[in-house]
Amino acid sequence: MVSGMQDLRWFRLDDESSVGAARRFASGIAGSLGYTESRSAEVAIGVTELATNVVRHGETGSMLVRLDDIGPRVCIEVVAVDSGPGFADPSVVLTDGFSTGGTLGVGLGAVRRLANRFEAHSIPERGTAVVATFCPDVTTPYPASAIDGITRPITGEEVCGDAWSVRHDPGRVILVLSDGLGHGELAARASRQIIECFAEEPWAGPGAFLEAAHRRASGTRGAAVLALDHETGSSTVRFAGIGNVAGRIVGGDKPLHISSQPGIVGHQMRRVREVELAVDSHSVVILHSDGLTQKWDASSMRGLLAQGPTVISAVLLREAGLRQDDASVIAMRPVP
């Protein structure tokens, strides 16, 4: 089964009008998906509270509205990220009625009740990241995921040239990250070809996939691509990469680097080399495009690796993402 989130739109949150734009967009999506009027209103309340908190206290921040269309239900997910003062004790701001921005007064505690999933992480003097997922029925359980990722287009573009997907085959989990060359629609077209190939091609390993992707993307401007394979219960991951896509395995004694070979998938590619690296129950596998700098240090971000993969991805994008390039980051916990 191939699955993945659909990132719809980023909003830069810098004034009250941007709050309204995010609210209208999210509630409009809810209506188009057939959410009830009351549930659409709850989505609007959650988006308003989160966005207003960022505008009034976050200094600089943004919000991503995305869809989770895996399985029988389609859920709306909101990711709010800021670089504000943060907070040391999450339990305080999650108390019912506590509103940090003089907004609707519902507070983050009530947003948590309205959402099917709610996660928050904050670092004093560095900022806060909040994830809230709204399904059509608030009583629907939202299972925790071991894998998630976020993409963000270069400033000024609405289409992102980066894309990723995850595939769950019997006994294994497979990830692919594609960074189309340049940005805009032509870059996105190259990545779409890679992801479509991933959905259609019988899996024979990371190296074989890159060979197939190379053929598939030959009519595009090309892409940097990384494919990673993890067998359930295995103590290793196996990967192959071409171009400026990379990553790290963190959480252990020292980080292990995931490095790619030079080349462009679809244009010029040497013989592909597969590499194995060790993982354990404490590991978090991070993959990212060159829209993130290589200088991030997860150990300096208090408690980050204990968070879910969506929060991890959002915080790394805030801390290391480049506005002058498309950016993407994926976080995965190996399956025991």
Side-chain angles (χ1 to χ4, degrees):
M1 178 181 70
V2 175
S3 58
M5 287 282 188
Q6 182 183 359
D7 296 344
L8 296 180
R9 184 173 170 184
W10 281 92
F11 293 86
R12 184 172 179 82
L13 300 176
D14 47 17
D15 56 33
E16 296 294 337
S17 66
S18 63
V19 174
R23 180 187 65 249
R24 289 189 295 271
F25 181 81
S27 60
I29 293 296
S32 69
L33 292 173
Y35 283 33
T36 65
E37 185 175 341
S38 61
R39 188 58 174 156
S40 296
E42 289 173 347
V43 173
I45 289 170
V47 169
T48 300
E49 180 73 17
L50 296 176
T52 304
N53 284 342
V54 172
V55 168
R56 296 187 178 177
H57 298 280
E59 297 180 7
T60 61
S62 55
M63 173 176 282
L64 169 64
V65 179
R66 61 204 307 235
L67 290 183
D68 175 1
D69 57 0
I70 304 168
R73 82 286 185 271
V74 181
C75 300
I76 299 169
E77 185 161 283
V78 179
V79 182
V81 185
D82 69 58
S83 301
F87 49 85
D89 184 1
S91 64
V92 173
V93 296
L94 292 177
T95 301
D96 280 346
F98 184 96
S99 181
T100 59
T103 61
L104 300 176
V106 299
L108 295 183
V111 174
R112 179 172 60 175
R113 288 206 317 276
L114 295 174
N116 298 75
R117 173 176 70 141
F118 183 95
E119 299 176 18
H121 175 266
S122 192
I123 307 173
E125 308 307 323
R126 290 174 71 169
T128 300
V130 177
V131 177
T133 307
F134 302 89
C135 298
D137 184 348
V138 71
T139 64
T140 301
Y142 192 94
S145 175
I147 306 167
D148 199 6
I150 293 178
T151 63
R152 186 183 68 195
I154 186 173
T155 300
E157 288 279 0
E158 293 190 4
V159 176
C160 185
D162 291 6
W164 70 279
S165 188
V166 56
R167 180 159 148 179
H168 301 272
D169 283 1
R172 68 187 340 111
V173 178
I174 312 155
L175 287 174
V176 165
L177 172 62
S178 176
D179 176 1
L181 263 65
H183 53 83
E185 179 54 36
L186 292 179
R189 178 173 174 266
S191 284
R192 281 197 299 270
Q193 291 296 314
I194 302 299
I195 299 304
E196 288 173 7
C197 180
F198 180 56
E200 300 165 5
E201 189 74 15
W203 185 253
F209 169 72
L210 287 179
E211 295 286 354
H214 184 59
R215 296 188 294 270
R216 181 68 170 262
S218 61
T220 72
R221 62 168 52 176
V225 183
L226 195 151
L228 183 142
D229 187 345
H230 173 61
E231 294 186 21
T232 303
S234 171
S235 60
T236 63
V237 293
R238 186 164 49 113
F239 73 92
I242 299 293
N244 291 329
V245 280
R248 260 174 255 173
I249 299 173
V250 295
D253 293 335
K254 62 178 182 178
L256 300 177
H257 290 267
I258 298 173
S259 301
S260 297
Q261 300 169 235
I264 302 171
V265 175
H267 285 267
Q268 55 188 39
M269 193 171 77
R270 301 177 184 174
R271 181 179 177 85
V272 180
R273 181 181 69 253
E274 292 188 355
V275 179
E276 281 195 355
L277 292 176
V279 294
D280 59 30
S281 59
H282 303 292
S283 298
V284 179
V285 179
I286 308 292
L287 307 179
H288 61 83
S289 69
D290 65 349
L292 267 70
T293 72
Q294 293 277 6
K295 297 181 179 180
W296 57 269
D297 177 11
S299 65
S300 73
M301 304 172 200
R302 188 188 67 168
L304 180 62
L305 296 184
Q307 303 297 314
T310 314
V311 169
I312 293 173
S313 299
V315 173
L316 288 176
L317 192 59
R318 179 191 70 204
E319 295 285 323
L322 302 172
R323 288 287 179 180
Q324 62 268 33
D325 197 2
D326 293 333
S328 55
V329 55
I330 308 170
M332 180 189 86
R333 297 188 186 281
V335 181

